[in-house]
Coordinates of all heavy atoms in Angstrom, one line a residue:
C1 N 91.0 -16.8 39.3 CA 91.6 -16.7 40.6 C 92.5 -17.9 41.0 O 93.6 -17.8 41.5 CB 90.6 -16.4 41.6 SG 91.2 -16.2 43.3
I2 N 91.9 -19.1 40.6 CA 92.6 -20.3 41.0 C 93.7 -20.6 40.1 O 94.9 -21.0 40.5 CB 91.7 -21.5 41.0 CG1 90.7 -21.4 42.2 CG2 92.4 -22.8 41.2 CD1 89.5 -22.4 42.2
C3 N 93.6 -20.3 38.8 CA 94.6 -20.7 37.8 C 95.9 -19.8 38.1 O 97.0 -20.4 38.1 CB 94.0 -20.4 36.4 SG 94.5 -21.6 35.3
P4 N 95.9 -18.5 38.2 CA 97.1 -17.8 38.5 C 97.8 -18.3 39.8 O 99.0 -18.4 39.9 CB 96.7 -16.4 38.6 CG 95.4 -16.3 37.9 CD 94.7 -17.6 38.0
S5 N 96.9 -18.6 40.8 CA 97.5 -19.1 42.1 C 98.2 -20.4 41.8 O 99.4 -20.6 42.4 CB 96.4 -19.4 43.1 OG 95.6 -18.2 43.4
L6 N 97.7 -21.3 41.0 CA 98.4 -22.6 40.8 C 99.7 -22.4 39.9 O 100.7 -23.0 40.2 CB 97.4 -23.6 40.0 CG 96.3 -24.1 40.8 CD1 95.3 -24.9 39.9 CD2 96.8 -25.0 42.0
I7 N 99.6 -21.5 39.0 CA 100.8 -21.1 38.3 C 101.9 -20.6 39.2 O 103.1 -21.0 39.1 CB 100.5 -20.2 37.1 CG1 99.6 -20.8 36.1 CG2 101.8 -19.6 36.5 CD1 99.1 -19.9 35.0
L8 N 101.5 -19.6 40.1 CA 102.5 -19.1 41.0 C 103.0 -20.1 41.9 O 104.2 -20.2 42.3 CB 101.9 -17.9 41.8 CG 101.7 -16.7 41.0 CD1 100.9 -15.6 41.8 CD2 103.0 -16.1 40.5
L9 N 102.2 -21.0 42.5 CA 102.6 -22.1 43.3 C 103.6 -23.0 42.6 O 104.6 -23.5 43.2 CB 101.4 -22.9 43.8 CG 101.6 -24.0 44.8 CD1 102.3 -23.4 46.1 CD2 100.3 -24.7 45.2
S10 N 103.3 -23.4 41.4 CA 104.2 -24.2 40.6 C 105.6 -23.6 40.4 O 106.6 -24.2 40.5 CB 103.5 -24.5 39.2 OG 102.3 -25.2 39.4
L11 N 105.5 -22.3 40.0 CA 106.8 -21.6 39.8 C 107.6 -21.5 41.1 O 108.8 -21.6 41.1 CB 106.5 -20.2 39.3 CG 106.1 -20.1 37.8 CD1 105.7 -18.7 37.4 CD2 107.2 -20.7 36.9
A12 N 106.9 -21.2 42.2 CA 107.5 -21.1 43.5 C 108.2 -22.4 43.9 O 109.3 -22.5 44.3 CB 106.6 -20.6 44.6
A13 N 107.5 -23.5 43.7 CA 108.0 -24.8 44.0 C 109.2 -25.2 43.1 O 110.2 -25.7 43.6 CB 106.9 -25.9 43.7
S14 N 109.2 -24.8 41.8 CA 110.3 -25.2 41.0 C 111.5 -24.4 41.3 O 112.6 -24.8 41.0 CB 109.9 -25.0 39.5 OG 109.6 -23.7 39.2
Y15 N 111.4 -23.1 41.8 CA 112.5 -22.3 42.1 C 113.1 -22.5 43.5 O 114.2 -22.3 43.8 CB 112.2 -20.8 41.9 CG 112.2 -20.5 40.4 CD1 111.0 -20.1 39.8 CD2 113.4 -20.5 39.6 CE1 111.0 -19.7 38.5 CE2 113.4 -20.2 38.3 CZ 112.1 -19.8 37.7 OH 112.2 -19.5 36.4
T16 N 112.2 -22.9 44.5 CA 112.6 -23.0 45.8 C 113.2 -24.4 46.2 O 114.0 -24.6 47.1 CB 111.5 -22.6 46.8 OG1 110.4 -23.4 46.6 CG2 111.2 -21.1 46.7
V17 N 112.6 -25.4 45.5 CA 113.0 -26.8 45.8 C 114.1 -27.2 44.8 O 113.9 -27.0 43.6 CB 111.8 -27.8 45.6 CG1 112.2 -29.2 45.9 CG2 110.7 -27.3 46.6
H18 N 115.2 -27.6 45.3 CA 116.3 -27.9 44.4 C 116.5 -29.3 44.0 O 117.3 -29.7 43.3 CB 117.6 -27.4 45.1 CG 117.6 -25.9 45.3 ND1 117.6 -25.0 44.3 CD2 117.5 -25.2 46.5 CE1 117.6 -23.8 44.8 NE2 117.5 -23.9 46.1
N19 N 115.7 -30.2 44.6 CA 115.7 -31.6 44.3 C 114.7 -31.9 43.2 O 113.5 -31.6 43.4 CB 115.4 -32.4 45.6 CG 115.5 -33.9 45.4 OD1 115.6 -34.4 44.3 ND2 115.4 -34.6 46.5
D20 N 115.1 -32.5 42.1 CA 114.2 -32.8 41.0 C 113.1 -33.7 41.4 O 111.9 -33.5 40.9 CB 114.9 -33.3 39.8 CG 115.8 -32.3 39.1 OD1 115.6 -31.1 39.3 OD2 116.7 -32.7 38.3
Y21 N 113.4 -34.7 42.2 CA 112.4 -35.6 42.6 C 111.2 -34.9 43.4 O 110.0 -35.2 43.2 CB 113.0 -36.7 43.5 CG 112.0 -37.7 44.0 CD1 111.6 -38.8 43.2 CD2 111.5 -37.7 45.3 CE1 110.6 -39.7 43.6 CE2 110.6 -38.7 45.8 CZ 110.2 -39.7 44.9 OH 109.3 -40.6 45.4
D22 N 111.6 -34.0 44.3 CA 110.6 -33.2 45.1 C 109.8 -32.3 44.2 O 108.6 -32.2 44.4 CB 111.3 -32.5 46.2 CG 111.9 -33.3 47.3 OD1 111.4 -34.5 47.4 OD2 112.7 -32.8 48.0
I23 N 110.5 -31.7 43.2 CA 109.7 -30.8 42.2 C 108.7 -31.7 41.5 O 107.5 -31.2 41.4 CB 110.7 -30.1 41.3 CG1 111.5 -29.1 42.1 CG2 109.9 -29.4 40.2 CD1 112.7 -28.6 41.2
V24 N 109.0 -32.8 41.0 CA 108.1 -33.6 40.3 C 106.9 -34.0 41.2 O 105.8 -34.0 40.8 CB 108.8 -34.9 39.8 CG1 107.9 -35.9 39.2 CG2 109.8 -34.5 38.7
N25 N 107.2 -34.4 42.4 CA 106.1 -34.8 43.3 C 105.2 -33.6 43.7 O 104.0 -33.7 43.7 CB 106.8 -35.3 44.7 CG 107.2 -36.7 44.5 OD1 106.7 -37.4 43.7 ND2 108.2 -37.1 45.3
I26 N 105.8 -32.4 43.9 CA 104.9 -31.2 44.2 C 104.0 -30.9 43.0 O 102.9 -30.7 43.1 CB 105.8 -30.1 44.6 CG1 106.5 -30.3 45.9 CG2 105.0 -28.7 44.7 CD1 107.5 -29.3 46.4
L27 N 104.7 -30.8 41.8 CA 103.9 -30.5 40.6 C 102.9 -31.5 40.3 O 101.8 -31.3 39.8 CB 104.8 -30.2 39.5 CG 105.8 -29.0 39.6 CD1 106.6 -28.8 38.4 CD2 104.9 -27.7 39.8
G28 N 103.3 -32.8 40.5 CA 102.4 -34.0 40.3 C 101.1 -33.8 41.2 O 100.0 -34.1 40.7
L29 N 101.3 -33.5 42.4 CA 100.2 -33.4 43.3 C 99.3 -32.2 43.0 O 98.1 -32.3 43.0 CB 100.7 -33.2 44.8 CG 101.3 -34.5 45.4 CD1 101.9 -34.2 46.8 CD2 100.3 -35.6 45.5
I30 N 99.9 -31.1 42.6 CA 99.1 -30.0 42.1 C 98.3 -30.4 40.9 O 97.1 -30.1 40.8 CB 100.0 -28.8 41.8 CG1 100.6 -28.2 43.1 CG2 99.2 -27.7 41.0 CD1 101.7 -27.2 42.8
G31 N 98.9 -31.1 40.0 CA 98.2 -31.6 38.8 C 97.1 -32.6 39.1 O 96.0 -32.5 38.5
C32 N 97.3 -33.4 40.1 CA 96.3 -34.4 40.5 C 95.1 -33.7 41.1 O 94.0 -34.0 40.8 CB 96.9 -35.3 41.6 SG 98.0 -36.7 40.9
G33 N 95.4 -32.7 41.9 CA 94.3 -31.9 42.6 C 93.5 -31.2 41.6 O 92.2 -31.3 41.6
T34 N 94.1 -30.5 40.7 CA 93.4 -29.7 39.7 C 92.5 -30.7 38.7 O 91.4 -30.4 38.3 CB 94.3 -28.7 38.9 OG1 95.3 -29.5 38.3 CG2 94.8 -27.7 39.8
S35 N 93.2 -31.8 38.3 CA 92.6 -32.7 37.5 C 91.3 -33.3 38.1 O 90.2 -33.3 37.5 CB 93.5 -33.9 37.1 OG 92.8 -34.8 36.3
F36 N 91.4 -33.7 39.4 CA 90.2 -34.2 40.1 C 89.1 -33.1 40.2 O 87.9 -33.4 40.1 CB 90.6 -34.8 41.4 CG 89.4 -35.3 42.2 CD1 88.7 -36.5 41.8 CD2 88.9 -34.7 43.3 CE1 87.6 -37.0 42.4 CE2 87.7 -35.2 43.9 CZ 87.2 -36.3 43.5
I37 N 89.5 -31.9 40.5 CA 88.5 -30.8 40.6 C 87.8 -30.6 39.3 O 86.6 -30.5 39.3 CB 89.2 -29.5 41.1 CG1 89.6 -29.7 42.6 CG2 88.3 -28.4 40.9 CD1 90.5 -28.5 43.0
A38 N 88.5 -30.7 38.2 CA 87.9 -30.6 36.9 C 86.9 -31.7 36.6 O 85.8 -31.5 36.1 CB 88.9 -30.5 35.8
Y39 N 87.2 -32.9 37.0 CA 86.4 -34.1 36.7 C 85.2 -34.0 37.7 O 84.1 -34.4 37.3 CB 87.1 -35.3 37.0 CG 88.0 -35.8 35.8 CD1 89.3 -36.0 36.0 CD2 87.5 -35.9 34.5 CE1 90.1 -36.4 35.0 CE2 88.3 -36.3 33.5 CZ 89.6 -36.5 33.6 OH 90.4 -36.9 32.6
A40 N 85.3 -33.7 38.9 CA 84.3 -33.7 39.9 C 83.4 -32.4 39.9 O 82.4 -32.4 40.6 CB 84.8 -34.0 41.2
S41 N 83.8 -31.4 39.2 CA 83.0 -30.1 39.2 C 81.5 -30.2 38.9 O 80.8 -29.5 39.6 CB 83.7 -29.0 38.3 OG 83.7 -29.5 36.9
P42 N 81.1 -31.1 38.0 CA 79.7 -31.2 37.8 C 79.0 -31.8 39.0 O 77.7 -31.7 39.1 CB 79.6 -32.1 36.6 CG 80.8 -32.0 35.9 CD 81.8 -31.8 36.9
L43 N 79.6 -32.4 40.0 CA 79.0 -33.0 41.1 C 78.4 -31.9 42.1 O 77.7 -32.3 43.0 CB 80.0 -33.9 41.9 CG 80.3 -35.2 41.2 CD1 81.4 -35.9 42.0 CD2 79.1 -36.1 40.9
C44 N 78.8 -30.7 41.9 CA 78.3 -29.6 42.8 C 76.8 -29.4 42.7 O 76.2 -28.8 43.5 CB 79.1 -28.3 42.6 SG 78.8 -27.6 40.9
V45 N 76.2 -30.0 41.7 CA 74.8 -29.8 41.5 C 74.0 -31.0 41.9 O 72.8 -31.1 41.7 CB 74.4 -29.5 40.0 CG1 75.0 -28.1 39.6 CG2 74.8 -30.6 39.1
I46 N 74.6 -32.0 42.6 CA 73.9 -33.2 43.1 C 72.8 -32.9 43.9 O 71.7 -33.4 43.8 CB 74.9 -34.1 43.7 CG1 75.6 -35.0 42.8 CG2 74.3 -35.0 44.7 CD1 76.5 -36.0 43.4
K47 N 73.0 -32.0 44.9 CA 71.9 -31.7 45.8 C 70.7 -31.1 45.1 O 69.6 -31.5 45.4 CB 72.4 -30.6 46.9 CG 71.3 -30.3 47.9 CD 72.0 -29.3 48.9 CE 70.9 -28.9 49.9 NZ 71.4 -27.9 50.9
Q48 N 70.9 -30.3 44.1 CA 69.9 -29.6 43.3 C 69.1 -30.7 42.5 O 67.9 -30.7 42.4 CB 70.4 -28.6 42.4 CG 69.3 -27.8 41.7 CD 70.0 -26.7 40.9 OE1 71.2 -26.5 40.7 NE2 69.1 -25.9 40.1
V49 N 69.8 -31.7 41.9 CA 69.2 -32.7 41.1 C 68.4 -33.6 42.0 O 67.2 -34.0 41.6 CB 70.3 -33.6 40.4 CG1 69.8 -34.9 39.8 CG2 71.0 -32.8 39.3
I50 N 68.8 -33.9 43.2 CA 68.1 -34.8 44.1 C 66.8 -34.0 44.6 O 65.7 -34.7 44.7 CB 69.0 -35.3 45.3 CG1 70.0 -36.2 44.7 CG2 68.2 -36.0 46.4 CD1 71.1 -36.6 45.7
Q51 N 67.0 -32.7 44.9 CA 65.8 -32.0 45.4 C 64.8 -31.9 44.3 O 63.5 -32.1 44.6 CB 66.2 -30.7 45.9 CG 67.0 -30.6 47.2 CD 67.5 -29.3 47.6 OE1 67.6 -28.4 46.8 NE2 67.8 -29.1 48.9
Q52 N 65.1 -31.6 43.1 CA 64.2 -31.4 42.0 C 63.8 -32.7 41.3 O 62.9 -32.7 40.5 CB 64.8 -30.4 41.0 CG 65.0 -29.0 41.5 CD 65.4 -28.0 40.5 OE1 65.5 -28.3 39.3 NE2 65.7 -26.8 41.0
K53 N 64.5 -33.8 41.6 CA 64.3 -35.0 41.0 C 64.3 -35.1 39.4 O 63.6 -35.7 38.8 CB 63.0 -35.7 41.5 CG 63.0 -35.8 43.0 CD 61.8 -36.7 43.5 CE 61.7 -36.8 45.0 NZ 62.9 -37.0 45.7
T54 N 65.2 -34.2 38.9 CA 65.4 -34.2 37.5 C 66.9 -33.7 37.1 O 67.4 -33.0 37.9 CB 64.4 -33.2 36.8 OG1 64.5 -33.4 35.3 CG2 64.5 -31.8 37.3
T55 N 67.4 -34.2 36.1 CA 68.6 -33.7 35.6 C 68.4 -32.7 34.4 O 69.5 -32.1 34.1 CB 69.5 -34.9 35.1 OG1 68.8 -35.6 34.1 CG2 69.8 -35.8 36.2
K56 N 67.3 -32.6 34.0 CA 67.0 -31.6 32.9 C 67.4 -30.2 33.2 O 67.1 -29.7 34.2 CB 65.5 -31.7 32.5 CG 65.2 -30.9 31.3 CD 63.7 -30.9 31.0 CE 63.4 -30.1 29.7 NZ 62.0 -30.0 29.5
D57 N 68.2 -29.6 32.3 CA 68.7 -28.2 32.4 C 69.6 -28.0 33.7 O 70.0 -26.8 33.9 CB 67.5 -27.2 32.5 CG 66.7 -27.2 31.3 OD1 67.2 -27.5 30.1 OD2 65.5 -27.0 31.4
I58 N 69.9 -29.0 34.4 CA 70.8 -28.9 35.5 C 72.2 -29.5 35.3 O 73.2 -28.9 35.5 CB 70.2 -29.5 36.8 CG1 68.9 -28.9 37.2 CG2 71.2 -29.4 38.0 CD1 68.2 -29.5 38.3
L59 N 72.2 -30.7 34.8 CA 73.4 -31.5 34.5 C 73.4 -31.9 33.1 O 72.6 -32.7 32.6 CB 73.4 -32.8 35.5 CG 74.7 -33.6 35.6 CD1 75.7 -32.7 36.2 CD2 74.4 -34.7 36.5
P60 N 74.4 -31.4 32.3 CA 74.5 -31.7 30.9 C 75.0 -33.2 30.7 O 76.0 -33.5 31.2 CB 75.4 -30.7 30.3 CG 76.2 -30.2 31.5 CD 75.4 -30.4 32.7
F61 N 74.1 -34.0 30.0 CA 74.5 -35.4 29.8 C 75.8 -35.5 28.9 O 76.6 -36.3 29.3 CB 73.4 -36.1 29.1 CG 73.7 -37.6 28.8 CD1 73.7 -38.5 29.8 CD2 74.1 -38.0 27.6 CE1 74.1 -39.8 29.6 CE2 74.4 -39.3 27.3 CZ 74.4 -40.2 28.3
G62 N 76.0 -34.7 27.9 CA 77.1 -34.9 27.0 C 78.4 -34.6 27.8 O 79.3 -35.3 27.6
L63 N 78.4 -33.6 28.6 CA 79.6 -33.3 29.4 C 79.9 -34.4 30.4 O 81.1 -34.8 30.4 CB 79.4 -32.0 30.2 CG 80.5 -31.6 31.1 CD1 81.8 -31.2 30.3 CD2 80.1 -30.4 32.0
S64 N 78.9 -34.9 31.0 CA 79.1 -36.0 32.0 C 79.6 -37.2 31.3 O 80.5 -37.9 31.8 CB 77.8 -36.3 32.8 OG 77.4 -35.2 33.5
A65 N 79.0 -37.6 30.2 CA 79.5 -38.7 29.4 C 80.9 -38.6 28.9 O 81.7 -39.6 29.1 CB 78.5 -39.0 28.3
M66 N 81.2 -37.5 28.4 CA 82.5 -37.3 27.8 C 83.6 -37.2 28.9 O 84.7 -37.7 28.7 CB 82.6 -36.1 26.9 CG 81.9 -36.2 25.6 SD 82.5 -37.6 24.7 CE 81.2 -38.8 24.8
L67 N 83.3 -36.6 30.0 CA 84.2 -36.6 31.2 C 84.5 -37.9 31.7 O 85.7 -38.3 32.0 CB 83.7 -35.6 32.3 CG 83.9 -34.1 32.1 CD1 83.2 -33.4 33.2 CD2 85.3 -33.7 32.0
T68 N 83.5 -38.7 31.7 CA 83.6 -40.1 32.2 C 84.5 -40.9 31.2 O 85.4 -41.7 31.7 CB 82.2 -40.8 32.4 OG1 81.5 -40.0 33.3 CG2 82.4 -42.2 33.0
L69 N 84.2 -40.8 30.0 CA 84.9 -41.5 28.9 C 86.4 -41.1 29.0 O 87.3 -41.9 28.8 CB 84.3 -41.4 27.6 CG 85.0 -42.0 26.4 CD1 85.0 -43.5 26.6 CD2 84.3 -41.6 25.1
N70 N 86.6 -39.8 29.0 CA 88.0 -39.2 29.1 C 88.7 -39.7 30.3 O 89.9 -40.1 30.2 CB 87.9 -37.7 29.1 CG 89.3 -37.1 29.0 OD1 90.2 -37.6 28.3 ND2 89.4 -35.9 29.6
A71 N 88.1 -39.7 31.5 CA 88.7 -40.2 32.7 C 89.1 -41.7 32.5 O 90.2 -42.1 33.0 CB 87.9 -39.9 33.8
A72 N 88.2 -42.5 32.0 CA 88.4 -43.9 31.8 C 89.6 -44.1 30.9 O 90.5 -45.0 31.2 CB 87.2 -44.6 31.3
T73 N 89.7 -43.4 29.8 CA 90.8 -43.5 28.8 C 92.1 -43.2 29.5 O 93.1 -43.9 29.3 CB 90.5 -42.7 27.6 OG1 89.2 -43.0 27.1 CG2 91.6 -42.8 26.5
W74 N 92.2 -42.0 30.1 CA 93.4 -41.6 30.7 C 93.8 -42.5 31.9 O 95.0 -42.7 32.2 CB 93.4 -40.2 31.2 CG 93.6 -39.2 30.1 CD1 92.7 -38.5 29.4 CD2 94.9 -39.0 29.4 NE1 93.3 -37.7 28.4 CE2 94.6 -38.0 28.4 CE3 96.2 -39.4 29.6 CZ2 95.6 -37.5 27.6 CZ3 97.2 -38.9 28.8 CH2 96.9 -38.0 27.8
S75 N 92.8 -43.1 32.6 CA 93.2 -44.0 33.6 C 93.9 -45.3 33.1 O 94.9 -45.8 33.6 CB 91.9 -44.5 34.4 OG 91.4 -43.4 35.1
C76 N 93.3 -45.8 32.0 CA 94.0 -46.9 31.3 C 95.3 -46.6 30.8 O 96.3 -47.4 31.0 CB 93.0 -47.4 30.3 SG 91.5 -48.2 30.8
Y77 N 95.5 -45.5 30.2 CA 96.8 -45.1 29.7 C 97.8 -45.0 30.8 O 98.9 -45.4 30.7 CB 96.6 -43.8 29.0 CG 98.0 -43.2 28.5 CD1 98.6 -43.7 27.4 CD2 98.6 -42.2 29.2 CE1 99.8 -43.2 27.0 CE2 99.8 -41.6 28.7 CZ 100.5 -42.2 27.6 OH 101.6 -41.7 27.3
G78 N 97.4 -44.3 31.9 CA 98.3 -44.1 33.0 C 98.7 -45.4 33.7 O 99.8 -45.6 34.2
W79 N 97.7 -46.3 33.7 CA 97.9 -47.6 34.5 C 98.8 -48.5 33.6 O 99.7 -49.1 34.0 CB 96.6 -48.2 34.9 CG 96.7 -49.4 35.7 CD1 97.0 -50.7 35.2 CD2 96.6 -49.5 37.1 NE1 97.0 -51.6 36.2 CE2 96.7 -50.9 37.4 CE3 96.3 -48.7 38.1 CZ2 96.6 -51.4 38.7 CZ3 96.1 -49.1 39.4 CH2 96.3 -50.4 39.7
F80 N 98.3 -48.7 32.4 CA 98.9 -49.8 31.5 C 100.1 -49.4 30.7 O 101.0 -50.2 30.4 CB 97.8 -50.4 30.6 CG 96.7 -51.1 31.3 CD1 95.5 -50.6 31.3 CD2 97.0 -52.2 32.1 CE1 94.4 -51.2 32.0 CE2 96.0 -52.9 32.8 CZ 94.7 -52.4 32.7
I81 N 100.1 -48.1 30.3 CA 101.2 -47.7 29.3 C 102.3 -47.0 30.1 O 103.5 -47.4 29.9 CB 100.6 -46.7 28.2 CG1 99.4 -47.3 27.5 CG2 101.7 -46.2 27.3 CD1 99.7 -48.5 26.7
T82 N 102.0 -46.0 30.9 CA 103.1 -45.2 31.5 C 103.3 -45.7 32.9 O 104.4 -45.3 33.5 CB 102.8 -43.7 31.5 OG1 101.6 -43.5 32.3 CG2 102.6 -43.2 30.1
D83 N 102.4 -46.3 33.6 CA 102.5 -46.7 35.0 C 102.8 -45.5 35.8 O 103.7 -45.5 36.7 CB 103.5 -47.9 35.2 CG 103.4 -48.5 36.6 OD1 102.4 -48.5 37.2 OD2 104.5 -48.9 37.1
D84 N 102.1 -44.4 35.6 CA 102.4 -43.2 36.3 C 101.2 -42.9 37.2 O 100.0 -42.6 36.8 CB 102.5 -42.1 35.3 CG 103.0 -40.7 35.8 OD1 103.0 -40.7 37.1 OD2 103.3 -39.8 35.1
L85 N 101.5 -42.8 38.5 CA 100.4 -42.6 39.5 C 99.8 -41.3 39.3 O 98.6 -41.1 39.5 CB 101.1 -42.7 40.9 CG 100.2 -42.3 42.1 CD1 99.2 -43.4 42.3 CD2 101.1 -42.1 43.3
Y86 N 100.5 -40.2 38.9 CA 100.1 -38.9 38.7 C 99.1 -38.8 37.5 O 98.4 -37.8 37.4 CB 101.2 -37.9 38.6 CG 101.9 -37.7 39.9 CD1 103.4 -37.8 39.9 CD2 101.3 -37.5 41.0 CE1 104.1 -37.7 41.0 CE2 102.0 -37.4 42.3 CZ 103.4 -37.5 42.2 OH 104.1 -37.4 43.4
V87 N 99.1 -39.8 36.7 CA 98.1 -39.8 35.5 C 96.9 -40.6 35.9 O 95.8 -40.2 35.8 CB 98.8 -40.4 34.3 CG1 97.8 -40.5 33.2 CG2 100.0 -39.5 33.8
W88 N 97.1 -41.9 36.4 CA 95.9 -42.7 36.5 C 95.2 -42.4 37.9 O 93.9 -42.7 37.8 CB 96.3 -44.2 36.4 CG 97.2 -44.8 37.5 CD1 98.5 -45.0 37.4 CD2 96.8 -45.2 38.8 NE1 99.0 -45.5 38.6 CE2 98.0 -45.7 39.5 CE3 95.6 -45.3 39.5 CZ2 97.9 -46.2 40.8 CZ3 95.6 -45.8 40.8 CH2 96.7 -46.3 41.5
A89 N 95.7 -42.0 38.9 CA 95.0 -41.8 40.2 C 93.9 -40.8 40.0 O 92.7 -41.1 40.4 CB 96.0 -41.5 41.3
P90 N 94.2 -39.5 39.6 CA 93.1 -38.6 39.5 C 92.1 -39.0 38.5 O 90.9 -38.7 38.7 CB 93.8 -37.3 39.2 CG 95.1 -37.6 38.6 CD 95.5 -38.9 39.2
C91 N 92.5 -39.6 37.4 CA 91.6 -40.0 36.4 C 90.7 -41.1 36.9 O 89.5 -41.2 36.5 CB 92.3 -40.4 35.1 SG 93.1 -39.0 34.4
L92 N 91.3 -42.0 37.7 CA 90.4 -43.1 38.2 C 89.3 -42.5 39.2 O 88.2 -42.9 39.2 CB 91.3 -44.1 38.9 CG 90.6 -45.4 39.4 CD1 90.1 -46.1 38.1 CD2 91.6 -46.3 40.1
L93 N 89.7 -41.5 40.0 CA 88.8 -40.8 40.9 C 87.8 -40.0 40.0 O 86.6 -40.0 40.3 CB 89.5 -39.9 41.8 CG 90.4 -40.5 42.9 CD1 91.2 -39.4 43.6 CD2 89.5 -41.3 43.8
G94 N 88.2 -39.5 38.9 CA 87.3 -38.8 38.0 C 86.4 -39.7 37.4 O 85.2 -39.3 37.1
F95 N 86.8 -40.9 37.0 CA 85.9 -41.9 36.4 C 84.9 -42.3 37.4 O 83.6 -42.4 37.1 CB 86.7 -43.2 36.0 CG 85.9 -44.2 35.5 CD1 85.3 -44.1 34.2 CD2 85.8 -45.4 36.1 CE1 84.5 -45.1 33.7 CE2 85.0 -46.5 35.6 CZ 84.4 -46.3 34.4
G96 N 85.2 -42.4 38.7 CA 84.2 -42.7 39.7 C 83.2 -41.6 39.8 O 82.0 -41.8 40.0
A97 N 83.7 -40.4 39.8 CA 82.8 -39.1 39.9 C 81.8 -39.1 38.6 O 80.7 -38.8 38.7 CB 83.6 -37.9 40.0
G98 N 82.4 -39.5 37.5 CA 81.6 -39.6 36.3 C 80.5 -40.6 36.4 O 79.4 -40.4 35.9
L99 N 80.9 -41.8 37.0 CA 79.8 -42.8 37.1 C 78.7 -42.3 38.1 O 77.5 -42.7 37.8 CB 80.5 -44.1 37.7 CG 81.4 -44.8 36.7 CD1 81.9 -46.1 37.4 CD2 80.6 -45.2 35.5
V100 N 79.0 -41.6 39.1 CA 78.0 -41.0 39.9 C 77.1 -40.1 39.2 O 75.9 -40.1 39.2 CB 78.6 -40.3 41.2 CG1 77.6 -39.4 41.9 CG2 79.4 -41.3 42.0
Q101 N 77.8 -39.2 38.3 CA 77.0 -38.3 37.5 C 76.0 -39.0 36.5 O 74.9 -38.7 36.4 CB 77.9 -37.4 36.7 CG 78.7 -36.5 37.5 CD 79.8 -35.8 36.7 OE1 79.7 -35.5 35.6 NE2 81.0 -35.6 37.4
L102 N 76.6 -40.1 35.9 CA 75.8 -40.8 35.0 C 74.7 -41.6 35.7 O 73.6 -41.8 35.1 CB 76.6 -41.7 34.2 CG 77.6 -41.1 33.2 CD1 78.5 -42.1 32.4 CD2 76.8 -40.2 32.2
S103 N 74.9 -42.0 36.9 CA 73.9 -42.7 37.6 C 72.7 -41.8 38.0 O 71.5 -42.2 38.0 CB 74.4 -43.3 38.9 OG 74.8 -42.3 39.8
L104 N 73.0 -40.5 38.1 CA 71.9 -39.6 38.3 C 71.0 -39.5 37.1 O 69.7 -39.3 37.2 CB 72.4 -38.2 38.6 CG 73.1 -38.0 40.0 CD1 73.8 -36.6 40.0 CD2 72.1 -38.2 41.1
F105 N 71.5 -39.6 35.9 CA 70.7 -39.7 34.7 C 69.9 -40.9 34.7 O 68.7 -40.9 34.2 CB 71.5 -39.6 33.4 CG 72.1 -38.2 33.2 CD1 73.4 -37.9 33.6 CD2 71.3 -37.3 32.6 CE1 73.8 -36.6 33.4 CE2 71.8 -36.0 32.4 CZ 73.1 -35.7 32.7
A106 N 70.4 -42.0 35.1 CA 69.7 -43.3 35.2 C 68.5 -43.2 36.2 O 67.4 -43.8 36.0 CB 70.6 -44.5 35.5
I107 N 68.8 -42.6 37.3 CA 67.8 -42.5 38.4 C 66.7 -41.5 38.1 O 65.5 -41.7 38.3 CB 68.5 -42.2 39.8 CG1 69.4 -43.4 40.1 CG2 67.5 -41.9 40.8 CD1 70.3 -43.0 41.3
Y108 N 67.1 -40.3 37.6 CA 66.2 -39.2 37.4 C 66.0 -39.0 35.9 O 65.7 -37.9 35.5 CB 66.7 -37.9 38.2 CG 66.8 -38.1 39.7 CD1 68.0 -38.1 40.3 CD2 65.6 -38.3 40.5 CE1 68.1 -38.4 41.7 CE2 65.7 -38.5 41.8 CZ 67.0 -38.5 42.4 OH 67.1 -38.6 43.8

């Protein structure tokens, strides 16, 4: 449901906005939003982890660790190599979300 909506929104933005700078900004913001949602999606089980005081069978460690590593890597690439806000900003937020997820493993 969300994916087709984003595709249609992207197409509508690219056809209705005639300024290339605006198109890049609109598509960049859409990409930032979807990227952060993907990184932070495992956080939806935080309440359940805290209530049950365990991460077993609720939050997969491998997924959390790899999302955190991926976010850190892309943040560094976006900051140091391309200096692109649309790359490093959502990934930096995703890295923070990943640290929260990994801290749940350390606590519980």
